[in-house]
PDB file of all heavy atoms in Angstrom:
ATOM      1  N   PHE J 235       4.502   0.147  11.959  1.00  0.00           N
ATOM      2  CA  PHE J 235       5.954   0.196  12.141  1.00  0.00           C
ATOM      3  C   PHE J 235       6.564   1.399  11.441  1.00  0.00           C
ATOM      4  O   PHE J 235       7.449   2.074  12.003  1.00  0.00           O
ATOM      5  CB  PHE J 235       6.580  -1.084  11.590  1.00  0.00           C
ATOM      6  CG  PHE J 235       8.078  -1.152  11.655  1.00  0.00           C
ATOM      7  CD1 PHE J 235       8.703  -1.492  12.853  1.00  0.00           C
ATOM      8  CD2 PHE J 235       8.860  -0.888  10.538  1.00  0.00           C
ATOM      9  CE1 PHE J 235      10.103  -1.562  12.942  1.00  0.00           C
ATOM     10  CE2 PHE J 235      10.244  -0.953  10.594  1.00  0.00           C
ATOM     11  CZ  PHE J 235      10.869  -1.293  11.794  1.00  0.00           C
ATOM     12  N   PRO J 239       6.718   4.267  14.732  1.00  0.00           N
ATOM     13  CA  PRO J 239       7.668   3.279  15.254  1.00  0.00           C
ATOM     14  C   PRO J 239       7.938   3.385  16.761  1.00  0.00           C
ATOM     15  O   PRO J 239       8.042   2.374  17.454  1.00  0.00           O
ATOM     16  CB  PRO J 239       8.934   3.530  14.447  1.00  0.00           C
ATOM     17  CG  PRO J 239       8.800   4.938  13.976  1.00  0.00           C
ATOM     18  CD  PRO J 239       7.341   5.149  13.714  1.00  0.00           C
ATOM     19  N   LYS J 240       8.047   4.614  17.259  1.00  0.00           N
ATOM     20  CA  LYS J 240       8.333   4.771  18.694  1.00  0.00           C
ATOM     21  C   LYS J 240       7.158   4.276  19.520  1.00  0.00           C
ATOM     22  O   LYS J 240       7.354   3.627  20.578  1.00  0.00           O
ATOM     23  CB  LYS J 240       8.632   6.241  19.019  1.00  0.00           C
ATOM     24  CG  LYS J 240       9.983   6.732  18.481  1.00  0.00           C
ATOM     25  CD  LYS J 240      10.206   8.185  18.864  1.00  0.00           C
ATOM     26  CE  LYS J 240      11.613   8.613  18.485  1.00  0.00           C
ATOM     27  NZ  LYS J 240      11.863   8.554  17.022  1.00  0.00           N
ATOM     28  N   GLN J 241       5.950   4.529  19.067  1.00  0.00           N
ATOM     29  CA  GLN J 241       4.774   4.033  19.782  1.00  0.00           C
ATOM     30  C   GLN J 241       4.714   2.531  19.722  1.00  0.00           C
ATOM     31  O   GLN J 241       4.367   1.882  20.731  1.00  0.00           O
ATOM     32  CB  GLN J 241       3.490   4.618  19.146  1.00  0.00           C
ATOM     33  CG  GLN J 241       2.235   4.198  19.848  1.00  0.00           C
ATOM     34  CD  GLN J 241       0.985   4.843  19.222  1.00  0.00           C
ATOM     35  OE1 GLN J 241       1.054   5.924  18.647  1.00  0.00           O
ATOM     36  NE2 GLN J 241      -0.142   4.187  19.357  1.00  0.00           N
ATOM     37  N   ARG J 243       7.302   0.464  19.449  1.00  0.00           N
ATOM     38  CA  ARG J 243       8.349  -0.053  20.317  1.00  0.00           C
ATOM     39  C   ARG J 243       7.955   0.013  21.786  1.00  0.00           C
ATOM     40  O   ARG J 243       8.277  -0.904  22.560  1.00  0.00           O
ATOM     41  CB  ARG J 243       9.659   0.736  20.116  1.00  0.00           C
ATOM     42  CG  ARG J 243      10.837   0.151  20.893  1.00  0.00           C
ATOM     43  CD  ARG J 243      12.145   0.830  20.535  1.00  0.00           C
ATOM     44  NE  ARG J 243      12.143   2.272  20.876  1.00  0.00           N
ATOM     45  CZ  ARG J 243      13.201   3.065  20.691  1.00  0.00           C
ATOM     46  NH1 ARG J 243      14.298   2.601  20.156  1.00  0.00           N
ATOM     47  NH2 ARG J 243      13.124   4.365  21.015  1.00  0.00           N
ATOM     48  N   TYR J 250       7.886  -5.167  17.631  1.00  0.00           N
ATOM     49  CA  TYR J 250       8.785  -4.171  17.022  1.00  0.00           C
ATOM     50  C   TYR J 250      10.139  -4.817  16.694  1.00  0.00           C
ATOM     51  O   TYR J 250      10.683  -4.609  15.601  1.00  0.00           O
ATOM     52  CB  TYR J 250       8.976  -2.970  17.952  1.00  0.00           C
ATOM     53  CG  TYR J 250       9.998  -1.991  17.406  1.00  0.00           C
ATOM     54  CD1 TYR J 250       9.622  -1.017  16.472  1.00  0.00           C
ATOM     55  CD2 TYR J 250      11.331  -2.050  17.779  1.00  0.00           C
ATOM     56  CE1 TYR J 250      10.560  -0.138  15.943  1.00  0.00           C
ATOM     57  CE2 TYR J 250      12.282  -1.208  17.258  1.00  0.00           C
ATOM     58  CZ  TYR J 250      11.894  -0.241  16.338  1.00  0.00           C
ATOM     59  OH  TYR J 250      12.829   0.609  15.809  1.00  0.00           O
ATOM     60  N   GLN J 254      11.811  -5.045  13.112  1.00  0.00           N
ATOM     61  CA  GLN J 254      13.097  -4.398  12.911  1.00  0.00           C
ATOM     62  C   GLN J 254      14.073  -5.371  12.254  1.00  0.00           C
ATOM     63  O   GLN J 254      14.808  -4.994  11.316  1.00  0.00           O
ATOM     64  CB  GLN J 254      13.631  -3.920  14.256  1.00  0.00           C
ATOM     65  CG  GLN J 254      14.971  -3.187  14.188  1.00  0.00           C
ATOM     66  CD  GLN J 254      15.448  -2.728  15.546  1.00  0.00           C
ATOM     67  OE1 GLN J 254      14.931  -3.147  16.578  1.00  0.00           O
ATOM     68  NE2 GLN J 254      16.461  -1.860  15.564  1.00  0.00           N
ATOM     69  N   GLN J 259      15.546  -2.303   9.435  1.00  0.00           N
ATOM     70  CA  GLN J 259      15.486  -0.844   9.610  1.00  0.00           C
ATOM     71  C   GLN J 259      15.142  -0.547  11.089  1.00  0.00           C
ATOM     72  O   GLN J 259      14.241  -1.144  11.639  1.00  0.00           O
ATOM     73  CB  GLN J 259      14.415  -0.228   8.717  1.00  0.00           C
ATOM     74  CG  GLN J 259      14.629  -0.450   7.238  1.00  0.00           C
ATOM     75  CD  GLN J 259      13.679   0.377   6.392  1.00  0.00           C
ATOM     76  OE1 GLN J 259      13.609   1.609   6.524  1.00  0.00           O
ATOM     77  NE2 GLN J 259      12.940  -0.282   5.514  1.00  0.00           N
ATOM     78  N   SER J 260      15.892   0.392  11.673  1.00  0.00           N
ATOM     79  CA  SER J 260      15.612   0.815  13.054  1.00  0.00           C
ATOM     80  C   SER J 260      14.766   2.078  13.006  1.00  0.00           C
ATOM     81  O   SER J 260      15.274   3.215  13.239  1.00  0.00           O
ATOM     82  CB  SER J 260      16.938   1.054  13.787  1.00  0.00           C
ATOM     83  OG  SER J 260      17.720  -0.105  13.836  1.00  0.00           O
ATOM     84  N   MET J 261      13.487   1.913  12.737  1.00  0.00           N
ATOM     85  CA  MET J 261      12.613   3.057  12.520  1.00  0.00           C
ATOM     86  C   MET J 261      12.479   3.941  13.756  1.00  0.00           C
ATOM     87  O   MET J 261      12.360   5.176  13.645  1.00  0.00           O
ATOM     88  CB  MET J 261      11.254   2.572  12.072  1.00  0.00           C
ATOM     89  CG  MET J 261      11.202   2.114  10.625  1.00  0.00           C
ATOM     90  SD  MET J 261      11.709   3.423   9.466  1.00  0.00           S
ATOM     91  CE  MET J 261      10.505   4.714   9.832  1.00  0.00           C
ATOM     92  N   ALA J 262      12.506   3.363  14.937  1.00  0.00           N
ATOM     93  CA  ALA J 262      12.327   4.155  16.174  1.00  0.00           C
ATOM     94  C   ALA J 262      13.486   5.113  16.384  1.00  0.00           C
ATOM     95  O   ALA J 262      13.373   6.084  17.154  1.00  0.00           O
ATOM     96  CB  ALA J 262      12.152   3.237  17.361  1.00  0.00           C
ATOM     97  N   ASP J 263      14.604   4.896  15.730  1.00  0.00           N
ATOM     98  CA  ASP J 263      15.765   5.751  15.872  1.00  0.00           C
ATOM     99  C   ASP J 263      15.726   6.936  14.892  1.00  0.00           C
ATOM    100  O   ASP J 263      16.559   7.833  14.968  1.00  0.00           O
ATOM    101  CB  ASP J 263      17.055   4.963  15.649  1.00  0.00           C
ATOM    102  CG  ASP J 263      17.283   3.893  16.725  1.00  0.00           C
ATOM    103  OD1 ASP J 263      16.795   4.139  17.868  1.00  0.00           O
ATOM    104  OD2 ASP J 263      17.867   2.846  16.432  1.00  0.00           O
ATOM    105  N   ARG J 264      14.801   6.902  13.972  1.00  0.00           N
ATOM    106  CA  ARG J 264      14.687   7.981  12.997  1.00  0.00           C
ATOM    107  C   ARG J 264      13.772   9.091  13.537  1.00  0.00           C
ATOM    108  O   ARG J 264      12.868   8.830  14.316  1.00  0.00           O
ATOM    109  CB  ARG J 264      14.131   7.487  11.664  1.00  0.00           C
ATOM    110  CG  ARG J 264      15.081   6.501  10.960  1.00  0.00           C
ATOM    111  CD  ARG J 264      14.669   6.316   9.496  1.00  0.00           C
ATOM    112  NE  ARG J 264      15.501   5.378   8.785  1.00  0.00           N
ATOM    113  CZ  ARG J 264      16.686   5.653   8.247  1.00  0.00           C
ATOM    114  NH1 ARG J 264      17.180   6.881   8.375  1.00  0.00           N
ATOM    115  NH2 ARG J 264      17.353   4.738   7.587  1.00  0.00           N
ATOM    116  N   VAL J 265      14.035  10.306  13.100  1.00  0.00           N
ATOM    117  CA  VAL J 265      13.193  11.453  13.493  1.00  0.00           C
ATOM    118  C   VAL J 265      12.205  11.700  12.343  1.00  0.00           C
ATOM    119  O   VAL J 265      12.593  12.207  11.284  1.00  0.00           O
ATOM    120  CB  VAL J 265      14.040  12.700  13.752  1.00  0.00           C
ATOM    121  CG1 VAL J 265      13.135  13.888  14.102  1.00  0.00           C
ATOM    122  CG2 VAL J 265      15.052  12.450  14.842  1.00  0.00           C
TER     123      VAL J 265
END
Side-chain angles (χ1 to χ4, degrees):
F235 178 80
K240 289 181 173 63
Q241 182 178 334
R243 185 173 63 178
Y250 175 85
Q254 182 179 13
Q259 300 189 55
S260 300
M261 284 301 301
D263 296 330
R264 295 195 182 278
V265 179

